[in-house]
Amino acid sequence: MLASGLLIGTAGCGFDDGLSRRDAAPPTGTPAPTRTAPAPATPSANPADRQLRLAFAGDVHFTGRTVALLDEPRSAFGPIAEVLRDADLTLVNLETAVTDRGTPEPKPYLFRAPTTAYEALRAAGIDAVSIANNHALDYGRVGLLDTLDSARSARFPVFGAGRDVTEAYAPWLTTVDGVRIAVVGFSQVHALSEQWKPTSTRPGIAMAFDRDRAVGAVAAAHRQADLVIVFMHWGIEGSACPSGEMKSIAGALAGAGADIVVGTHAHTLLADGWLGRTYVHYGLGNFLWYGTSRSTDSGVLRLTVRGREVIRNEFVPAIVSGTGQPRLVSGSAERAIRDKLATARRCTGLSPTK
């Protein structure tokens, strides 16, 4: 986990300071630093030669049985945090508003969490979170603005939403070991998408339905960075196969310059592969989860990249335990998850190799 600096990316702004994972995290409540242009690389620092280890996991929130985990935020994720920390960059989806205010939206499931969620995320080794999902506005625009404000106060990076349309579609920009990385987040969930999309005067989450803007955001990120990651919120709940809508936007994002596309939302694991030179994982399932779900299968996706190329992909199986924490599995439980993933790969339409 790198120490965080930049919160929500703004198009055309510089990268954060790229502090190493060994540096202490900044104290909660410290104002966000002023962004500066990256320092010139040393002559031997060629990003195309650098190898980085990335980690991704699925949906996280603190409500129901998991809110009690925030009584001890530094251990909220349990032992699986060791896997998350063992990467140069770790990303998950934060499936909740972080607020104690707002008006509930007209929807069946409503999630919100206290600000100690950021302490738990940071302690687990998570560097940034997508909030481009169908729960970030569960408590309206007041709740979303609280989420953005509290993230800034905690100096914890979030992406995929913003105070206006420009901020919502902007990448989070960071530098890790000399490699400039841009991360963008989009939702492809239909419910309330019209009401939740951002405008020039209204906060909201970045929607993949605005295809031209989403593709343009990825193309712009490609011009700014050595590596472009897209974190999607998409899929059909309970289905281990990607829909045609998912495959279509994945192709468009790959064509625009995305190097990695990963996603969540279906509450079950989907599978991965290559779309040309772009690595795609259609669904990472639940990770730290409040209650019953369509599946308890979970895990951590670990990728090794060199330049823009994914040179190794590995999925570390886990299950969502009775506490809501993800727990690593082995033996027959691990084999069962790997067998399900092997079956799911048949419907991805992706190549097993580049």
Side-chain angles (χ1 to χ4, degrees):
M1 174 197 66
L2 60 93
S4 57
L6 192 62
L7 298 184
I8 296 178
T10 301
C13 289
F15 288 77
D16 75 1
D17 54 13
L19 298 174
S20 83
R21 297 174 67 96
R22 295 185 297 275
D23 290 317
T28 298
T30 303
T34 302
R35 297 176 197 159
T36 58
T42 60
S44 61
N46 182 357
D49 296 333
R50 299 294 180 90
Q51 285 193 23
L52 296 179
R53 296 172 303 155
L54 313 178
F56 303 88
D59 295 335
V60 168
H61 59 196
F62 294 95
T63 191
R65 66 186 178 186
T66 58
V67 72
L69 298 172
L70 292 179
D71 292 342
E72 298 289 342
R74 296 197 63 80
S75 60
F77 283 80
I80 206 166
E82 295 180 14
V83 180
L84 302 177
R85 295 188 197 109
D86 187 30
D88 298 304
L89 182 72
T90 300
L91 306 173
V92 304
N93 175 61
L94 183 61
E95 184 90 336
T96 184
V98 181
T99 185
D100 59 5
R101 303 191 305 151
T103 302
E105 290 283 280
K107 59 198 299 283
Y109 298 101
L110 297 161
F111 302 144
R112 62 178 165 189
T115 56
T116 45
Y118 299 120
E119 183 181 353
L121 292 162
R122 178 177 282 125
I126 295 163
D127 295 294
V129 297
S130 176
I131 53 173
N133 58 58
N134 60 314
H135 290 284
L137 277 101
D138 276 0
Y139 288 85
R141 295 186 184 94
V142 169
L144 175 60
L145 290 172
D146 282 355
T147 303
L148 298 173
D149 289 343
S150 59
R152 182 169 292 278
S153 293
R155 296 187 70 187
F156 193 89
V158 301
F159 57 89
R163 293 167 180 82
D164 57 33
V165 67
T166 300
E167 189 174 83
Y169 284 85
W172 174 53
L173 302 170
T174 190
T175 301
V176 182
D177 196 21
V179 179
R180 300 170 303 167
I181 301 174
V183 187
V184 292
F186 305 121
S187 173
Q188 200 180 40
V189 178
H190 287 270
L192 296 174
S193 60
E194 279 298 311
Q195 295 91 324
W196 286 18
K197 70 181 182 182
T199 69
S200 60
T201 59
R202 185 178 77 184
I205 62 175
M207 297 288 183
F209 304 116
D210 191 340
R211 194 180 182 99
D212 289 345
R213 192 180 294 275
V215 167
V218 171
H222 182 84
R223 293 190 293 269
Q224 296 179 72
D226 305 309
L227 180 71
V228 178
I229 301 169
V230 180
F231 207 121
M232 292 292 303
H233 206 66
W234 55 1
I236 302 168
E237 294 190 11
S239 175
C241 289
S243 66
E245 186 177 48
M246 295 168 71
K247 293 178 180 179
S248 177
I249 193 64
L253 298 174
D259 302 300
I260 297 168
V261 180
V262 298
T264 62
H265 174 65
H267 306 303
T268 191
L269 293 176
L270 284 78
D272 65 342
W274 272 264
L275 192 58
R277 51 162 295 280
T278 302
Y279 174 84
V280 178
H281 197 299
Y282 278 118
L284 296 170
N286 299 332
F287 195 59
L288 190 138
W289 199 249
Y290 79 110
T292 59
S293 184
R294 297 173 186 271
S295 172
T296 61
D297 295 342
S298 186
V300 179
L301 173 66
R302 300 201 290 199
L303 303 179
T304 303
V305 298
R306 182 189 297 119
R308 294 188 180 277
E309 181 183 9
V310 175
I311 61 174
R312 184 183 181 195
N313 60 306
E314 176 191 13
F315 190 80
V316 182
I319 61 168
V320 179
S321 68
T323 65
Q325 293 172 320
R327 177 172 58 81
L328 295 173
V329 294
S330 59
S332 60
E334 178 182 359
R335 288 193 297 273
I337 291 175
R338 294 198 184 281
D339 288 346
K340 291 177 185 177
L341 289 172
T343 299
R345 285 192 185 95
R346 300 172 189 167
C347 60
T348 61
L350 301 171
S351 171
T353 58
K354 292 186 289 294

